[in-house]
Amino acid sequence: MPGDAPRSPDPAKLHAPLARLLRPLVRLLIRSGITFPMLSELLRELYVNVAEYDFVLPGKDQTDSRVSLLTGIHRKEVRRLRGAGAPVNAVPATVSQTSRILARWLADPDFTGPDRRPLPLPRMAEPSQPSFERLVASVTRDVRPRAVLDEWLDRKLVMLDDEDRAVLAEAAYVPRGGEDQQLYYLGRNLHDHIAAAVANVEAQSPPFLERAVHYDGLTKELAEQLQRRSRDVAMEALHTLNREAHAASDKAPPGQWRWNFGVYVYSEEVVPPSAPATSTDTNDKDSRT
């Protein structure tokens, strides 16, 4: 029911799922040179920020003492950190621009064919005809279409065919590893997935769809077959919803809400845990490996 207080799970029961969801992130952090003290400082800032803004009592100022009580962080540290490290929802300009142009190319009937696939676009054409220049101009007039095309060619998001038309490349769907766009979506998509799951845990009735199909004990060949098939199904769903959202948002007045629909596919080999190591004393000698 709307207005019901969020349910609070037993902290002890959160340990195992928390360790599991953090493990791949910790692996990424270690590989990226982000040490535990660096992460600890970031978490300290986030704890203070979330307590400061998300746990305010109605009609009362949020004091250093209450933030300290909620977080377990000393009041002196709370005073230092309040207002720092606040997460923001701002989208980097280059990410926003690229995403909006790609979304239109994939969804707008002016730039897609009868098969609903993005058309190859000449650099320029008559005003009534599809072209890369018209595509970019329909989204933004702050940058020249030629500059966008040059950047996309360099990033291999598009290629030029024999008729000098821009053709959307498969790489446009998946940003290159470690680039700004991919790192932005790492934060955005994982935030939204975790936020949906947390909202469902806290609510009496799950407000968000957050489901998965999973099978264990598969052969490598079957896992790879299911991964290929799930990619096809997922991409079709994404394209369909992109077209519908594009058409609806073009007609709707501006508002303050955002919406995100995401899918993921993952498979891995599950290696059985090895037997615990045992120590055997032989002739009173200490044997170590």
Side-chain angles (χ1 to χ4, degrees):
M1 292 287 292
D4 288 348
R7 294 184 298 176
S8 300
D10 181 352
K13 293 182 178 179
L14 284 176
H15 286 182
L18 189 60
R20 185 168 189 174
L21 75 89
L22 288 176
R23 190 175 186 87
L25 290 176
V26 169
R27 190 182 303 126
L28 174 64
L29 295 177
I30 292 174
R31 285 176 177 162
S32 302
I34 296 181
T35 61
F36 177 75
M38 294 166 68
L39 177 62
S40 176
E41 180 63 18
L42 174 60
L43 285 174
R44 191 179 288 110
E45 290 179 1
L46 285 172
Y47 260 76
V48 170
N49 182 263
V50 170
E52 181 178 2
Y53 293 103
D54 295 1
F55 287 82
V56 179
L57 295 175
K60 293 189 176 181
D61 292 334
Q62 189 72 308
T63 64
D64 292 348
S65 294
R66 183 157 192 275
V67 173
S68 177
L69 181 65
L70 288 168
T71 63
I73 298 172
H74 195 278
R75 275 181 302 171
K76 230 198 244 185
E77 281 289 276
V78 167
R79 197 175 304 117
R80 176 178 73 87
L81 294 170
R82 286 187 71 166
V88 295
N89 291 323
V91 183
T94 55
V95 172
S96 174
Q97 175 183 283
T98 297
S99 298
R100 287 162 58 207
I101 296 172
L102 283 174
R104 183 170 290 271
W105 197 352
L106 290 165
D108 195 316
D110 287 346
F111 304 104
T112 56
D115 59 355
R116 294 183 171 179
R117 295 185 62 80
L119 290 170
L121 299 176
R123 297 171 188 257
M124 293 180 290
E126 294 296 323
S128 61
Q129 297 300 311
S131 68
F132 193 83
E133 181 179 56
R134 182 182 163 202
L135 170 67
V136 174
S138 68
V139 172
T140 177
R141 295 188 180 276
D142 293 336
V143 293
R144 292 184 301 110
R146 177 58 188 266
V148 175
L149 181 59
D150 287 344
E151 180 196 352
W152 285 19
L153 286 168
D154 181 63
R155 293 169 58 188
K156 295 182 171 53
L157 300 184
V158 297
M159 59 188 71
L160 298 178
D161 66 10
D162 294 340
E163 299 177 44
D164 202 36
R165 297 177 302 179
V167 179
L168 192 61
E170 184 68 24
Y173 302 104
V174 184
R176 288 181 296 187
E179 68 175 19
D180 291 346
Q181 188 175 13
Q182 189 183 53
L183 294 176
Y184 166 73
Y185 281 111
L186 167 71
R188 179 186 177 117
N189 291 344
L190 287 183
H191 168 275
D192 287 1
H193 192 160
I194 293 173
V198 169
N200 290 346
V201 167
E202 293 182 334
Q204 298 296 329
S205 176
F208 296 108
L209 177 67
E210 198 270 324
R211 300 285 186 271
V213 177
H214 52 89
Y215 282 78
D216 299 328
L218 305 177
T219 64
K220 179 183 178 183
E221 292 74 21
L222 179 53
E224 291 175 347
Q225 176 188 329
L226 289 170
Q227 184 173 182
R228 289 192 297 271
R229 175 60 180 150
S230 55
R231 281 176 177 268
D232 293 339
V233 172
M235 289 305 297
E236 180 58 34
L238 290 169
H239 285 313
T240 298
L241 282 168
N242 179 51
R243 286 192 297 267
E244 294 181 11
H246 173 79
S249 61
D250 261 7
K251 299 171 185 173
Q256 300 298 318
W257 286 73
R258 72 181 183 89
W259 161 82
N260 191 11
F261 170 80
V263 292
Y264 66 91
V265 180
Y266 184 70
S267 66
E268 67 174 353
E269 182 183 10
V270 181
V271 180
S274 57
T278 57
S279 175
T280 303
D281 291 334
T282 305
N283 298 330
D284 293 332
K285 291 182 180 178
D286 184 15
S287 175
R288 297 181 183 180
T289 55

